[in-house]
Amino acid sequence: MAKLLKEGYDPNDIIESPLVPMSEEFRYIHGMSSSKVDYDIEEEVLEVLNLLIEKGAYLEASTKSGEFPVYLASTGKKLKILHKAGADIFRKFIDKEGVVLRAREYVRSAEGLDYMYEQGLKPDCDYIHKKFSEIENKWYKHHYGVGYKERCR
């Protein structure tokens, strides 16, 4: 992929894969953001993600179902790369039924959620991220002096 991008391949091309319906308009920036990588190739994946950004991949590209690259970031490192390149890590998406989906609802790593809090995400009682409750609890204690269970009764 890196070689193709360096040779002028379109970084915004739509991926054709039996795993992803063409109607989703899933691009390489989505794929590199979401890939679950083995640690032995992590640096290569991060290099391709950076190269996609450098070559002009659209950071706010959405699939038809509303998935943005920041929603798909499988690691805190990827979320940081996307954010530093200009992606909106606090973006909201309104689905077909009018439900507002927030980026933090999609965070796929504790490091990513921690990073969002470092960047100004405010904890609130309407939303508790069950998957990374230790991070939520830490930030409730930081902001309110008590854990989220005590704060949100």
Side-chain angles (χ1 to χ4, degrees), residues 54-83:
E54 177 186 316
K55 296 295 182 179
Y58 184 43
L59 297 174
E60 302 300 334
S62 173
T63 64
K64 295 278 187 202
S65 59
E67 294 176 324
F68 299 93
V70 294
Y71 284 11
L72 298 170
S74 61
T75 67
K77 287 181 185 177
K78 290 179 183 181
L79 187 66
K80 287 179 188 178
I81 289 169
L82 292 164
H83 181 236

PDB file of all heavy atoms in Angstrom, residues 54-83:
ATOM      1  N   GLU A  54      -0.905  12.141   4.619  1.00  0.00           N
ATOM      2  CA  GLU A  54       0.019  13.001   3.871  1.00  0.00           C
ATOM      3  C   GLU A  54      -0.415  13.151   2.409  1.00  0.00           C
ATOM      4  O   GLU A  54      -0.301  14.223   1.820  1.00  0.00           O
ATOM      5  CB  GLU A  54       1.426  12.404   3.944  1.00  0.00           C
ATOM      6  CG  GLU A  54       2.481  13.144   3.155  1.00  0.00           C
ATOM      7  CD  GLU A  54       3.802  12.395   3.158  1.00  0.00           C
ATOM      8  OE1 GLU A  54       4.220  11.908   4.227  1.00  0.00           O
ATOM      9  OE2 GLU A  54       4.409  12.294   2.080  1.00  0.00           O
ATOM     10  N   LYS A  55      -0.933  12.089   1.830  1.00  0.00           N
ATOM     11  CA  LYS A  55      -1.337  12.091   0.419  1.00  0.00           C
ATOM     12  C   LYS A  55      -2.753  12.632   0.200  1.00  0.00           C
ATOM     13  O   LYS A  55      -3.249  12.646  -0.914  1.00  0.00           O
ATOM     14  CB  LYS A  55      -1.230  10.685  -0.175  1.00  0.00           C
ATOM     15  CG  LYS A  55       0.195  10.153  -0.200  1.00  0.00           C
ATOM     16  CD  LYS A  55       1.073  10.970  -1.129  1.00  0.00           C
ATOM     17  CE  LYS A  55       2.474  10.410  -1.197  1.00  0.00           C
ATOM     18  NZ  LYS A  55       3.333  11.167  -2.093  1.00  0.00           N
ATOM     19  N   GLY A  56      -3.412  13.053   1.285  1.00  0.00           N
ATOM     20  CA  GLY A  56      -4.696  13.722   1.131  1.00  0.00           C
ATOM     21  C   GLY A  56      -5.940  12.906   1.414  1.00  0.00           C
ATOM     22  O   GLY A  56      -7.029  13.285   0.980  1.00  0.00           O
ATOM     23  N   ALA A  57      -5.809  11.813   2.148  1.00  0.00           N
ATOM     24  CA  ALA A  57      -7.011  11.038   2.504  1.00  0.00           C
ATOM     25  C   ALA A  57      -7.962  11.940   3.299  1.00  0.00           C
ATOM     26  O   ALA A  57      -7.541  12.706   4.165  1.00  0.00           O
ATOM     27  CB  ALA A  57      -6.636   9.807   3.316  1.00  0.00           C
ATOM     28  N   TYR A  58      -9.233  11.838   2.978  1.00  0.00           N
ATOM     29  CA  TYR A  58     -10.254  12.663   3.623  1.00  0.00           C
ATOM     30  C   TYR A  58     -10.521  12.135   5.034  1.00  0.00           C
ATOM     31  O   TYR A  58     -11.107  11.078   5.208  1.00  0.00           O
ATOM     32  CB  TYR A  58     -11.514  12.662   2.760  1.00  0.00           C
ATOM     33  CG  TYR A  58     -12.619  13.559   3.262  1.00  0.00           C
ATOM     34  CD1 TYR A  58     -12.352  14.837   3.736  1.00  0.00           C
ATOM     35  CD2 TYR A  58     -13.927  13.125   3.260  1.00  0.00           C
ATOM     36  CE1 TYR A  58     -13.362  15.660   4.199  1.00  0.00           C
ATOM     37  CE2 TYR A  58     -14.954  13.935   3.716  1.00  0.00           C
ATOM     38  CZ  TYR A  58     -14.657  15.203   4.183  1.00  0.00           C
ATOM     39  OH  TYR A  58     -15.664  16.009   4.652  1.00  0.00           O
ATOM     40  N   LEU A  59     -10.096  12.902   6.033  1.00  0.00           N
ATOM     41  CA  LEU A  59     -10.194  12.485   7.435  1.00  0.00           C
ATOM     42  C   LEU A  59     -11.626  12.406   7.940  1.00  0.00           C
ATOM     43  O   LEU A  59     -11.899  11.725   8.911  1.00  0.00           O
ATOM     44  CB  LEU A  59      -9.408  13.448   8.333  1.00  0.00           C
ATOM     45  CG  LEU A  59      -7.915  13.498   8.090  1.00  0.00           C
ATOM     46  CD1 LEU A  59      -7.283  14.593   8.946  1.00  0.00           C
ATOM     47  CD2 LEU A  59      -7.272  12.157   8.380  1.00  0.00           C
ATOM     48  N   GLU A  60     -12.534  13.130   7.295  1.00  0.00           N
ATOM     49  CA  GLU A  60     -13.924  13.141   7.741  1.00  0.00           C
ATOM     50  C   GLU A  60     -14.821  12.305   6.832  1.00  0.00           C
ATOM     51  O   GLU A  60     -16.037  12.467   6.824  1.00  0.00           O
ATOM     52  CB  GLU A  60     -14.430  14.581   7.828  1.00  0.00           C
ATOM     53  CG  GLU A  60     -13.625  15.474   8.767  1.00  0.00           C
ATOM     54  CD  GLU A  60     -13.598  15.006  10.218  1.00  0.00           C
ATOM     55  OE1 GLU A  60     -14.530  14.306  10.658  1.00  0.00           O
ATOM     56  OE2 GLU A  60     -12.635  15.346  10.919  1.00  0.00           O
ATOM     57  N   ALA A  61     -14.203  11.391   6.068  1.00  0.00           N
ATOM     58  CA  ALA A  61     -14.982  10.497   5.208  1.00  0.00           C
ATOM     59  C   ALA A  61     -15.880   9.628   6.066  1.00  0.00           C
ATOM     60  O   ALA A  61     -15.446   9.055   7.056  1.00  0.00           O
ATOM     61  CB  ALA A  61     -14.051   9.626   4.374  1.00  0.00           C
ATOM     62  N   SER A  62     -17.139   9.555   5.686  1.00  0.00           N
ATOM     63  CA  SER A  62     -18.108   8.754   6.431  1.00  0.00           C
ATOM     64  C   SER A  62     -18.618   7.619   5.559  1.00  0.00           C
ATOM     65  O   SER A  62     -18.852   7.806   4.371  1.00  0.00           O
ATOM     66  CB  SER A  62     -19.276   9.630   6.859  1.00  0.00           C
ATOM     67  OG  SER A  62     -20.303   8.850   7.431  1.00  0.00           O
ATOM     68  N   THR A  63     -18.796   6.478   6.182  1.00  0.00           N
ATOM     69  CA  THR A  63     -19.488   5.403   5.483  1.00  0.00           C
ATOM     70  C   THR A  63     -20.976   5.748   5.500  1.00  0.00           C
ATOM     71  O   THR A  63     -21.397   6.652   6.227  1.00  0.00           O
ATOM     72  CB  THR A  63     -19.258   4.036   6.168  1.00  0.00           C
ATOM     73  OG1 THR A  63     -19.847   4.077   7.473  1.00  0.00           O
ATOM     74  CG2 THR A  63     -17.780   3.696   6.271  1.00  0.00           C
ATOM     75  N   LYS A  64     -21.773   5.040   4.749  1.00  0.00           N
ATOM     76  CA  LYS A  64     -23.220   5.312   4.721  1.00  0.00           C
ATOM     77  C   LYS A  64     -23.854   5.129   6.104  1.00  0.00           C
ATOM     78  O   LYS A  64     -24.818   5.791   6.442  1.00  0.00           O
ATOM     79  CB  LYS A  64     -23.927   4.407   3.718  1.00  0.00           C
ATOM     80  CG  LYS A  64     -23.522   4.653   2.296  1.00  0.00           C
ATOM     81  CD  LYS A  64     -24.269   5.806   1.707  1.00  0.00           C
ATOM     82  CE  LYS A  64     -23.935   5.866   0.223  1.00  0.00           C
ATOM     83  NZ  LYS A  64     -24.136   7.122  -0.375  1.00  0.00           N
ATOM     84  N   SER A  65     -23.268   4.233   6.910  1.00  0.00           N
ATOM     85  CA  SER A  65     -23.831   4.007   8.247  1.00  0.00           C
ATOM     86  C   SER A  65     -23.245   4.956   9.290  1.00  0.00           C
ATOM     87  O   SER A  65     -23.516   4.821  10.473  1.00  0.00           O
ATOM     88  CB  SER A  65     -23.629   2.548   8.667  1.00  0.00           C
ATOM     89  OG  SER A  65     -22.267   2.219   8.671  1.00  0.00           O
ATOM     90  N   GLY A  66     -22.450   5.943   8.842  1.00  0.00           N
ATOM     91  CA  GLY A  66     -21.993   6.989   9.744  1.00  0.00           C
ATOM     92  C   GLY A  66     -20.699   6.732  10.471  1.00  0.00           C
ATOM     93  O   GLY A  66     -20.444   7.344  11.498  1.00  0.00           O
ATOM     94  N   GLU A  67     -19.889   5.844   9.953  1.00  0.00           N
ATOM     95  CA  GLU A  67     -18.621   5.571  10.629  1.00  0.00           C
ATOM     96  C   GLU A  67     -17.517   6.439  10.043  1.00  0.00           C
ATOM     97  O   GLU A  67     -17.216   6.374   8.855  1.00  0.00           O
ATOM     98  CB  GLU A  67     -18.272   4.090  10.507  1.00  0.00           C
ATOM     99  CG  GLU A  67     -19.249   3.224  11.254  1.00  0.00           C
ATOM    100  CD  GLU A  67     -18.983   1.752  11.068  1.00  0.00           C
ATOM    101  OE1 GLU A  67     -18.580   1.338   9.970  1.00  0.00           O
ATOM    102  OE2 GLU A  67     -19.183   1.023  12.039  1.00  0.00           O
ATOM    103  N   PHE A  68     -16.931   7.265  10.878  1.00  0.00           N
ATOM    104  CA  PHE A  68     -15.815   8.117  10.507  1.00  0.00           C
ATOM    105  C   PHE A  68     -14.526   7.429  10.948  1.00  0.00           C
ATOM    106  O   PHE A  68     -14.551   6.593  11.859  1.00  0.00           O
ATOM    107  CB  PHE A  68     -15.932   9.472  11.208  1.00  0.00           C
ATOM    108  CG  PHE A  68     -17.180  10.227  10.833  1.00  0.00           C
ATOM    109  CD1 PHE A  68     -18.333  10.123  11.594  1.00  0.00           C
ATOM    110  CD2 PHE A  68     -17.192  11.037   9.709  1.00  0.00           C
ATOM    111  CE1 PHE A  68     -19.482  10.809  11.247  1.00  0.00           C
ATOM    112  CE2 PHE A  68     -18.340  11.729   9.352  1.00  0.00           C
ATOM    113  CZ  PHE A  68     -19.483  11.618  10.115  1.00  0.00           C
ATOM    114  N   PRO A  69     -13.396   7.779  10.335  1.00  0.00           N
ATOM    115  CA  PRO A  69     -12.137   7.158  10.766  1.00  0.00           C
ATOM    116  C   PRO A  69     -11.888   7.251  12.276  1.00  0.00           C
ATOM    117  O   PRO A  69     -11.428   6.287  12.878  1.00  0.00           O
ATOM    118  CB  PRO A  69     -11.079   7.915   9.956  1.00  0.00           C
ATOM    119  CG  PRO A  69     -11.793   8.272   8.685  1.00  0.00           C
ATOM    120  CD  PRO A  69     -13.188   8.613   9.144  1.00  0.00           C
ATOM    121  N   VAL A  70     -12.231   8.387  12.908  1.00  0.00           N
ATOM    122  CA  VAL A  70     -11.999   8.474  14.357  1.00  0.00           C
ATOM    123  C   VAL A  70     -12.886   7.501  15.125  1.00  0.00           C
ATOM    124  O   VAL A  70     -12.520   7.044  16.198  1.00  0.00           O
ATOM    125  CB  VAL A  70     -12.169   9.903  14.926  1.00  0.00           C
ATOM    126  CG1 VAL A  70     -11.106  10.831  14.393  1.00  0.00           C
ATOM    127  CG2 VAL A  70     -13.553  10.455  14.698  1.00  0.00           C
ATOM    128  N   TYR A  71     -14.065   7.178  14.586  1.00  0.00           N
ATOM    129  CA  TYR A  71     -14.927   6.201  15.237  1.00  0.00           C
ATOM    130  C   TYR A  71     -14.312   4.806  15.179  1.00  0.00           C
ATOM    131  O   TYR A  71     -14.576   3.967  16.027  1.00  0.00           O
ATOM    132  CB  TYR A  71     -16.284   6.124  14.552  1.00  0.00           C
ATOM    133  CG  TYR A  71     -17.261   7.247  14.829  1.00  0.00           C
ATOM    134  CD1 TYR A  71     -16.871   8.408  15.478  1.00  0.00           C
ATOM    135  CD2 TYR A  71     -18.569   7.128  14.430  1.00  0.00           C
ATOM    136  CE1 TYR A  71     -17.784   9.417  15.709  1.00  0.00           C
ATOM    137  CE2 TYR A  71     -19.490   8.139  14.658  1.00  0.00           C
ATOM    138  CZ  TYR A  71     -19.095   9.280  15.304  1.00  0.00           C
ATOM    139  OH  TYR A  71     -19.993  10.270  15.532  1.00  0.00           O
ATOM    140  N   LEU A  72     -13.534   4.564  14.148  1.00  0.00           N
ATOM    141  CA  LEU A  72     -12.997   3.230  13.906  1.00  0.00           C
ATOM    142  C   LEU A  72     -11.600   3.022  14.465  1.00  0.00           C
ATOM    143  O   LEU A  72     -11.086   1.905  14.432  1.00  0.00           O
ATOM    144  CB  LEU A  72     -12.975   2.966  12.393  1.00  0.00           C
ATOM    145  CG  LEU A  72     -14.339   2.986  11.709  1.00  0.00           C
ATOM    146  CD1 LEU A  72     -14.171   2.961  10.203  1.00  0.00           C
ATOM    147  CD2 LEU A  72     -15.197   1.831  12.181  1.00  0.00           C
ATOM    148  N   ALA A  73     -10.966   4.061  14.968  1.00  0.00           N
ATOM    149  CA  ALA A  73      -9.574   3.957  15.430  1.00  0.00           C
ATOM    150  C   ALA A  73      -9.434   2.837  16.459  1.00  0.00           C
ATOM    151  O   ALA A  73     -10.024   2.882  17.528  1.00  0.00           O
ATOM    152  CB  ALA A  73      -9.105   5.281  16.013  1.00  0.00           C
ATOM    153  N   SER A  74      -8.654   1.818  16.104  1.00  0.00           N
ATOM    154  CA  SER A  74      -8.536   0.637  16.956  1.00  0.00           C
ATOM    155  C   SER A  74      -7.517   0.794  18.070  1.00  0.00           C
ATOM    156  O   SER A  74      -7.473  -0.029  18.975  1.00  0.00           O
ATOM    157  CB  SER A  74      -8.185  -0.591  16.105  1.00  0.00           C
ATOM    158  OG  SER A  74      -6.946  -0.386  15.453  1.00  0.00           O
ATOM    159  N   THR A  75      -6.700   1.849  18.015  1.00  0.00           N
ATOM    160  CA  THR A  75      -5.716   2.082  19.082  1.00  0.00           C
ATOM    161  C   THR A  75      -5.675   3.566  19.421  1.00  0.00           C
ATOM    162  O   THR A  75      -6.078   4.416  18.614  1.00  0.00           O
ATOM    163  CB  THR A  75      -4.292   1.641  18.660  1.00  0.00           C
ATOM    164  OG1 THR A  75      -3.830   2.500  17.610  1.00  0.00           O
ATOM    165  CG2 THR A  75      -4.258   0.186  18.220  1.00  0.00           C
ATOM    166  N   GLY A  76      -5.168   3.865  20.596  1.00  0.00           N
ATOM    167  CA  GLY A  76      -4.979   5.257  20.998  1.00  0.00           C
ATOM    168  C   GLY A  76      -4.006   5.972  20.073  1.00  0.00           C
ATOM    169  O   GLY A  76      -4.179   7.159  19.777  1.00  0.00           O
ATOM    170  N   LYS A  77      -2.984   5.263  19.595  1.00  0.00           N
ATOM    171  CA  LYS A  77      -2.016   5.871  18.674  1.00  0.00           C
ATOM    172  C   LYS A  77      -2.695   6.340  17.403  1.00  0.00           C
ATOM    173  O   LYS A  77      -2.415   7.420  16.896  1.00  0.00           O
ATOM    174  CB  LYS A  77      -0.905   4.876  18.318  1.00  0.00           C
ATOM    175  CG  LYS A  77       0.078   4.620  19.416  1.00  0.00           C
ATOM    176  CD  LYS A  77       1.143   3.634  18.951  1.00  0.00           C
ATOM    177  CE  LYS A  77       2.078   3.285  20.091  1.00  0.00           C
ATOM    178  NZ  LYS A  77       3.073   2.276  19.685  1.00  0.00           N
ATOM    179  N   LYS A  78      -3.589   5.524  16.865  1.00  0.00           N
ATOM    180  CA  LYS A  78      -4.283   5.891  15.631  1.00  0.00           C
ATOM    181  C   LYS A  78      -5.203   7.090  15.868  1.00  0.00           C
ATOM    182  O   LYS A  78      -5.274   7.990  15.033  1.00  0.00           O
ATOM    183  CB  LYS A  78      -5.073   4.706  15.092  1.00  0.00           C
ATOM    184  CG  LYS A  78      -4.185   3.611  14.552  1.00  0.00           C
ATOM    185  CD  LYS A  78      -5.019   2.455  14.065  1.00  0.00           C
ATOM    186  CE  LYS A  78      -4.138   1.327  13.578  1.00  0.00           C
ATOM    187  NZ  LYS A  78      -4.936   0.213  13.080  1.00  0.00           N
ATOM    188  N   LEU A  79      -5.890   7.113  16.988  1.00  0.00           N
ATOM    189  CA  LEU A  79      -6.762   8.243  17.308  1.00  0.00           C
ATOM    190  C   LEU A  79      -5.937   9.524  17.392  1.00  0.00           C
ATOM    191  O   LEU A  79      -6.332  10.567  16.863  1.00  0.00           O
ATOM    192  CB  LEU A  79      -7.510   7.984  18.619  1.00  0.00           C
ATOM    193  CG  LEU A  79      -8.567   9.014  18.988  1.00  0.00           C
ATOM    194  CD1 LEU A  79      -9.717   9.002  17.989  1.00  0.00           C
ATOM    195  CD2 LEU A  79      -9.088   8.764  20.386  1.00  0.00           C
ATOM    196  N   LYS A  80      -4.776   9.460  18.025  1.00  0.00           N
ATOM    197  CA  LYS A  80      -3.899  10.633  18.131  1.00  0.00           C
ATOM    198  C   LYS A  80      -3.423  11.092  16.761  1.00  0.00           C
ATOM    199  O   LYS A  80      -3.416  12.294  16.471  1.00  0.00           O
ATOM    200  CB  LYS A  80      -2.684  10.319  19.013  1.00  0.00           C
ATOM    201  CG  LYS A  80      -3.005  10.217  20.471  1.00  0.00           C
ATOM    202  CD  LYS A  80      -1.755   9.869  21.272  1.00  0.00           C
ATOM    203  CE  LYS A  80      -2.123   9.568  22.705  1.00  0.00           C
ATOM    204  NZ  LYS A  80      -0.959   9.180  23.499  1.00  0.00           N
ATOM    205  N   ILE A  81      -3.023  10.157  15.907  1.00  0.00           N
ATOM    206  CA  ILE A  81      -2.567  10.507  14.552  1.00  0.00           C
ATOM    207  C   ILE A  81      -3.682  11.218  13.795  1.00  0.00           C
ATOM    208  O   ILE A  81      -3.461  12.265  13.181  1.00  0.00           O
ATOM    209  CB  ILE A  81      -2.090   9.249  13.798  1.00  0.00           C
ATOM    210  CG1 ILE A  81      -0.762   8.749  14.376  1.00  0.00           C
ATOM    211  CG2 ILE A  81      -1.962   9.527  12.301  1.00  0.00           C
ATOM    212  CD1 ILE A  81      -0.333   7.372  13.878  1.00  0.00           C
ATOM    213  N   LEU A  82      -4.881  10.657  13.836  1.00  0.00           N
ATOM    214  CA  LEU A  82      -6.015  11.260  13.127  1.00  0.00           C
ATOM    215  C   LEU A  82      -6.336  12.648  13.674  1.00  0.00           C
ATOM    216  O   LEU A  82      -6.560  13.593  12.916  1.00  0.00           O
ATOM    217  CB  LEU A  82      -7.241  10.344  13.222  1.00  0.00           C
ATOM    218  CG  LEU A  82      -7.138   9.021  12.457  1.00  0.00           C
ATOM    219  CD1 LEU A  82      -8.211   8.048  12.927  1.00  0.00           C
ATOM    220  CD2 LEU A  82      -7.241   9.259  10.956  1.00  0.00           C
ATOM    221  N   HIS A  83      -6.331  12.779  14.984  1.00  0.00           N
ATOM    222  CA  HIS A  83      -6.648  14.063  15.620  1.00  0.00           C
ATOM    223  C   HIS A  83      -5.594  15.113  15.290  1.00  0.00           C
ATOM    224  O   HIS A  83      -5.920  16.236  14.907  1.00  0.00           O
ATOM    225  CB  HIS A  83      -6.780  13.872  17.134  1.00  0.00           C
ATOM    226  CG  HIS A  83      -7.124  15.136  17.853  1.00  0.00           C
ATOM    227  ND1 HIS A  83      -6.353  15.633  18.869  1.00  0.00           N
ATOM    228  CD2 HIS A  83      -8.148  16.008  17.683  1.00  0.00           C
ATOM    229  CE1 HIS A  83      -6.889  16.756  19.308  1.00  0.00           C
ATOM    230  NE2 HIS A  83      -7.975  17.000  18.610  1.00  0.00           N
TER     231      HIS A  83
END
